[in-house]
Amino acid sequence: MNGHCEDNSPPSIDNNNPLIAMVGNPNTGKSALFNALTGAHQKVGNYPGVTVERKYGHMALPDGRPVEVVDLPGTYSLDPGSADERVTRDVLFGQMPNEKIPDILLVVLDATNLGLHLRFALQLLSLKIPTIFALNMVDMAERDGLKIDINLLSEKLGAKVIPTVAVRRRGIEEVKQEVAHLVDQIAKQPSKTEAAAVLAASGAPILKDISSYQPEAQRLTKEVTKVVHKPKGWTQKIDDIVLHPILGPIILAGLMFFMFQAVFAWSQTPIGWIEDGFTALEAYIRPLLPEGLIRSLIVDGVIAGVGSVLVFLPQILILFLFILLLEGSGYMVRAAFLMDRLMAKVGLTGRAFIPLLSSFACAIPGIMATRSIEDPKSRLTTILIAPLMTCSARLPVYSVLIGAFVPDKEIGLKIGLQGLVMFLLYVAGIVAAMLVALIFRYTLAKGKSGLFLIEMPRYQMPILRDIMLGLWQRAMIFLKRAGTIILTVSVALWAVLAFPRAPEGVPQSEYSIAGRVAAALDPIMKPAGFNHAMTMAVIPAMAAREVAVSALATVYSIDSSDEEKTQESLIGTLRKAWPLSQALAFLAWFVFAPQCLSTIAVIRRETNGWKWPLFTLGYLFTLAYVASTIVFHVARMFGL
Amino acid sequence: MRLNEMPLKKATVITDIDWSALPPEIGRRLRDLGFHKGAEVELQHFAPISRDPIACRVDRILIAIRQQEASVISVKDPDAAPEPALSEKASSSRSTVGQA
């Protein structure tokens, strides 16, 4: 991502650079245009007090002058309604604290759907802020057989209209040139910028509501559009298959199944590389350090701890790759459509499907995605069950245990047994989530099952660049976690495991502080099938779930001699140390495991208080405890 | 005829929307998405269970909407011939939902 300016500091709005505000309906490709204009020079945050994303960027005009760009939330109008609309309205009216009134509006229109989009365009024009229109997706309109008279549209709107294809970066330079042109004009006649100031001083302008612009928008659309031929209707042809009442659900289930198989199968080779890398690193460092505490800290704490988590980067990236592809292609909304009725049965809407599917990657973006659910009670329920969806941080735990206890063989049709068990664990999470949702909807969050009314955007080829950017951001977040939380917890855990030093003949982990804490918790954790190592792993896993694996690695690493370490992987150690019943109990715990502290923090932010995060913590803990107890005892009854 | 009773893949127009039967915020969403009297609509897909929700084209965009909300939207019977004199009875028997 190459921006055109050199400074990498987050753009500040305190400077006096001209401010461009991007406005438009959802699904216009506004974000793609914002990305194309600002490159990597973006800053994403929240507007104060509301859960609406605030996206600022920095752009250089063709002659190098800097301007600021704000990407306002996609809305259909300025009529006061949702939180998104209020933010857009407040910023444009100069009523948002600490935000400048934009000097220029860049209104993004969808060329394939002018009738709907021109309504908003007309409403925005009545603000009298200097405006440029980006007529986006002109390639799609052409494919639909529409010919739009750009000059006539410019003339009718009284503002420059620039055809763009944001995803292919077409028209970007022209937009920049036109912005430069307007910036010059404003500079020459300062009275024009004062329009905005006057607007702010006189309070909110009175706007006509959006439907009153409908007739004019329709008329204008007819005037500037010529239908050359019938649309090719790719989207319809795909939908005829993908939304078919019988084929549709089969395709959806198949996709989900394929996704989880792929997470397992495709990751093996890169995981091998990372493992080899860490083995080599350990072999290189071990002789460099003198026998003793320092070596133990580096080898048992840092390398064993962080290394055991880092190997899961490939799996997490593959999972995110699928989620980004499903979102980018437009399939995600179709999945929501297919699932709506089923979700309605547990009192949710198809809309909840998108946040819940994202929660497979991570509950945090999932919980943030619930903002699109209008009904507050459906939204709350979705937030509460999101942590039950198996997030990628649980993958390491599942992978290690499945690797240790489930034989690596095929059960026919090229379906691996390990992948199948993984799939079943995911299903367990989903079933639990649905049951819990049902209970909540009849108790805590009673009410009708929300609204499902949503635009289904046309299919499009996901943009490689955007997918790569998304994966890159994910990888960085994960590596940052590995370098901070996971490293810190690994080292802290090593410390409580390494001290006090055990006398000869006594296992270090049992003698240590951690061992004593685990022993003290024994009366509580033993009925659930937990041995000391498991208890020691579960506690730090509260910080981040994947730490459970590094904790186990450290626990078993600290007790073993140097030769054993080089021979035995964590998987091998566990296979010897745990009976199957305990392993199953541990897996059952992690299906429900009280989620990481960052998730709790996000729930607090999104629900504005401590009540729901604490409730989530409590109910998940109870479920985890009950589930592992049952699984442990049932497994024992079967002699496992 | 109601939007949710329409036959599949037959374009027609919205003749009326009973705004009073909808909570104001839902009415607003419908307007946002371009539902208005005179808009061209075409029922495109049914969801698998109970044919709910439905996906319909409104002018140029595809919208997913539940049966309940769709039932307040009246449309012109697409099977009725352009000249209403032609067999209105025949069309009503042909228009059983979704057989197309």
Side-chain angles (χ1 to χ4, degrees):
Chain A
M1 313 295 338
N2 61 326
H4 292 264
C5 53
E6 277 70 46
D7 85 318
N8 267 313
S9 60
S12 117
I13 50 156
D14 299 329
N15 61 35
N16 283 320
N17 295 341
L19 177 65
I20 321 294
M22 296 182 58
V23 210
N25 289 16
N27 298 316
T28 49
K30 195 160 64 69
S31 295
L33 188 59
F34 178 70
N35 286 343
L37 287 172
T38 60
H41 303 280
Q42 297 180 12
K43 196 185 176 194
V44 179
N46 260 329
Y47 286 99
V50 282
T51 47
V52 175
E53 219 171 51
R54 176 184 185 277
K55 280 168 82 183
Y56 261 85
H58 207 63
M59 171 176 103
L61 296 176
D63 55 12
R65 276 178 299 168
V67 290
E68 311 298 329
V69 186
V70 56
D71 183 17
L72 291 174
T75 60
Y76 291 97
S77 69
L78 291 180
D79 301 354
S82 70
D84 281 354
E85 275 143 17
R86 244 170 296 135
V87 164
T88 304
R89 189 183 162 93
D90 286 351
V91 171
L92 294 182
F93 290 178
Q95 291 172 338
M96 176 65 77
N98 304 322
E99 303 283 341
K100 278 205 311 189
I101 297 181
D103 300 296
I104 294 170
L105 290 189
L106 177 56
V107 179
V108 187
L109 304 171
D110 175 354
T112 64
N113 196 15
L114 264 187
L116 190 63
H117 290 232
L118 280 179
R119 291 191 316 192
F120 192 24
L122 292 169
Q123 196 181 37
L124 287 167
L125 276 176
S126 63
L127 288 173
K128 306 263 186 272
I129 301 175
T131 300
I132 301 166
F133 291 97
L135 186 64
N136 200 25
M137 309 209 247
V138 281
D139 56 337
M140 295 256 210
E142 256 162 57
R143 233 171 295 160
D144 273 6
L146 300 177
K147 194 153 174 27
I148 296 167
D149 188 335
I150 309 265
N151 292 331
L152 185 62
L153 185 61
S154 275
E155 192 186 303
K156 295 278 171 190
L157 291 172
K160 186 87 179 165
V161 178
I162 297 154
T164 60
V165 184
V167 296
R168 313 235 173 282
R169 311 246 150 161
R170 268 164 53 191
I172 305 302
E173 285 312 309
E174 288 83 346
V175 169
K176 286 186 180 172
Q177 272 161 17
E178 189 51 34
V179 170
H181 181 65
L182 264 193
V183 167
D184 291 339
Q185 269 193 354
I186 290 168
K188 267 185 237 148
Q189 40 175 162
S191 60
K192 198 135 198 200
T193 34
E194 275 163 26
V198 170
L199 196 114
S202 63
I206 294 159
L207 289 177
K208 287 193 281 175
D209 80 284
I210 193 77
S211 22
S212 62
Y213 294 98
Q214 183 88 41
E216 198 186 339
Q218 294 285 337
R219 194 170 44 75
L220 205 55
T221 307
K222 276 212 184 95
E223 237 174 303
V224 300
T225 316
K226 215 162 78 193
V227 182
V228 183
H229 60 79
K230 290 201 92 181
K232 296 224 172 78
W234 274 110
T235 290
Q236 204 188 104
K237 281 181 192 131
I238 298 173
D239 275 342
D240 281 341
I241 300 165
V242 164
L243 298 182
H244 185 276
I246 295 157
L247 281 180
I250 295 174
I251 293 172
L252 176 59
L255 267 176
M256 296 293 104
F257 188 75
F258 176 73
M259 176 167 125
F260 292 118
Q261 282 283 326
V263 164
F264 231 76
W266 299 356
S267 59
Q268 291 314 307
T269 314
I271 286 177
W273 298 336
I274 299 175
E275 272 174 347
D276 292 348
F278 271 93
T279 313
L281 181 69
E282 194 185 321
Y284 174 75
I285 285 187
R286 188 176 290 279
L288 295 183
L289 298 167
E291 167 100 50
L293 271 182
I294 298 289
R295 187 206 270 185
S296 178
L297 169 66
I298 301 291
V299 174
D300 301 331
V302 176
I303 298 181
V306 175
S308 60
V309 171
L310 269 191
V311 296
F312 295 99
L313 185 61
Q315 292 188 334
I316 288 166
L317 290 185
I318 293 169
L319 187 66
F320 268 101
L321 173 69
F322 275 95
I323 297 213
L324 290 170
L325 286 176
L326 291 177
E327 265 177 358
S329 63
Y331 182 76
M332 206 68 127
V333 180
R334 270 77 185 179
F337 176 79
L338 292 170
M339 295 298 290
D340 179 59
R341 197 65 212 162
L342 224 52
M343 305 295 273
K345 285 205 190 328
V346 295
L348 297 172
T349 76
R351 283 217 164 194
F353 184 73
I354 299 169
L356 291 179
L357 195 63
S358 312
S359 299
F360 280 131
C362 174
I364 293 167
I367 288 168
M368 295 196 313
T370 62
R371 290 171 188 178
S372 68
I373 303 173
E374 293 101 342
D375 178 54
K377 282 174 177 168
S378 308
R379 175 162 184 247
L380 177 63
T381 310
T382 312
I383 290 177
L384 295 180
I385 64 170
L388 283 172
M389 308 314 269
T390 304
C391 69
S392 52
R394 261 176 283 196
L395 258 178
V397 184
Y398 287 177
S399 296
V400 162
L401 288 172
I402 288 175
F405 294 96
V406 178
D408 182 12
K409 61 179 183 194
E410 284 186 7
I411 52 163
L413 296 171
K414 290 245 170 207
I415 294 169
L417 185 60
Q418 294 189 331
L420 181 70
V421 172
M422 178 70 90
F423 182 67
L424 291 177
L425 284 169
Y426 275 81
V427 170
I430 298 167
V431 171
M434 294 300 115
L435 291 177
V436 170
L438 194 62
I439 294 167
F440 286 170
R441 289 293 282 168
Y442 279 99
T443 53
L444 299 166
K446 260 189 255 181
K448 286 212 287 180
S449 82
L451 177 70
F452 186 68
L453 186 59
I454 189 169
E455 179 180 343
M456 297 166 99
R458 58 185 63 219
Y459 289 103
Q460 49 178 273
M461 209 52 197
I463 308 144
L464 185 67
R465 204 176 30 230
D466 288 359
I467 302 279
M468 285 308 165
L469 185 64
L471 283 180
W472 172 253
Q473 287 169 343
R474 255 312 123 183
M476 283 300 120
I477 290 170
F478 180 76
L479 291 177
K480 232 169 148 181
R481 264 161 78 98
T484 55
I485 302 177
I486 296 171
L487 178 63
T488 315
V489 176
S490 295
V491 170
L493 193 70
W494 169 83
V496 291
L497 278 165
F499 298 102
R501 302 304 285 173
E504 201 67 34
V506 180
Q508 173 61 37
S509 71
E510 291 295 325
Y511 194 77
S512 67
I513 301 170
R516 291 170 204 201
V517 171
L521 288 173
D522 227 16
I524 305 170
M525 297 309 285
K526 209 169 181 182
F530 275 47
N531 61 31
H532 286 181
M534 288 155 82
T535 308
M536 283 186 254
V538 160
I539 296 168
M542 288 290 293
R545 271 178 275 220
E546 54 274 59
V547 170
V549 172
S550 59
L552 287 174
T554 306
V555 170
Y556 286 108
S557 173
I558 214 158
D559 280 343
S560 56
S561 70
D562 281 0
E563 295 106 85
E564 278 170 353
K565 268 178 213 168
T566 46
Q567 291 159 5
E568 201 85 83
S569 67
L570 178 59
I571 286 180
T573 313
L574 291 180
R575 199 177 286 156
K576 276 195 231 150
W578 296 4
L580 185 55
S581 55
Q582 284 190 323
L584 291 176
F586 198 68
L587 280 177
W589 175 276
F590 273 93
V591 170
F592 303 103
Q595 68 282 20
C596 62
L597 296 177
S598 346
T599 307
I600 292 290
V602 168
I603 297 181
R604 199 205 75 81
R605 197 180 75 200
E606 298 289 315
T607 59
N608 280 325
W610 279 109
K611 179 178 165 192
W612 294 113
L614 290 177
F615 172 80
T616 313
L617 207 58
Y619 102 80
L620 287 175
F621 188 84
T622 313
L623 274 183
Y625 188 79
V626 170
S628 44
T629 308
I630 293 173
V631 166
F632 177 61
H633 289 282
V634 170
R636 279 258 294 248
M637 264 168 25
F638 284 99
L640 298 171
Chain B
M1 178 180 266
R2 308 282 170 172
L3 178 60
N4 56 326
E5 301 160 351
M6 268 171 56
L8 274 177
K9 308 261 159 102
K10 295 225 166 142
T12 183
V13 287
I14 295 180
T15 52
D16 190 32
I17 299 173
D18 183 4
W19 299 111
S20 65
L22 292 169
E25 65 293 354
I26 296 181
R28 229 185 85 80
R29 291 268 309 152
L30 281 179
R31 282 197 193 95
D32 279 350
L33 292 170
F35 284 93
H36 61 97
K37 204 171 148 178
E40 189 180 295
V41 282
E42 181 181 340
L43 187 52
Q44 299 243 351
H45 311 279
F46 288 116
I49 309 169
S50 321
R51 303 188 152 178
D52 192 13
I54 58 174
C56 59
R57 181 175 62 77
V58 180
D59 287 328
R60 303 194 59 87
I61 60 172
L62 188 64
I63 298 196
I65 178 171
R66 280 186 178 166
Q67 293 268 358
Q68 200 191 343
E69 284 81 28
S71 69
V72 309
I73 299 165
S74 303
V75 296
K76 198 167 133 203
D77 186 339
D79 283 337
E83 295 86 3
L86 278 169
S87 70
E88 212 165 305
K89 277 173 207 156
S91 73
S92 61
S93 63
R94 258 186 291 138
S95 64
T96 351
V97 180
Q99 298 303 324

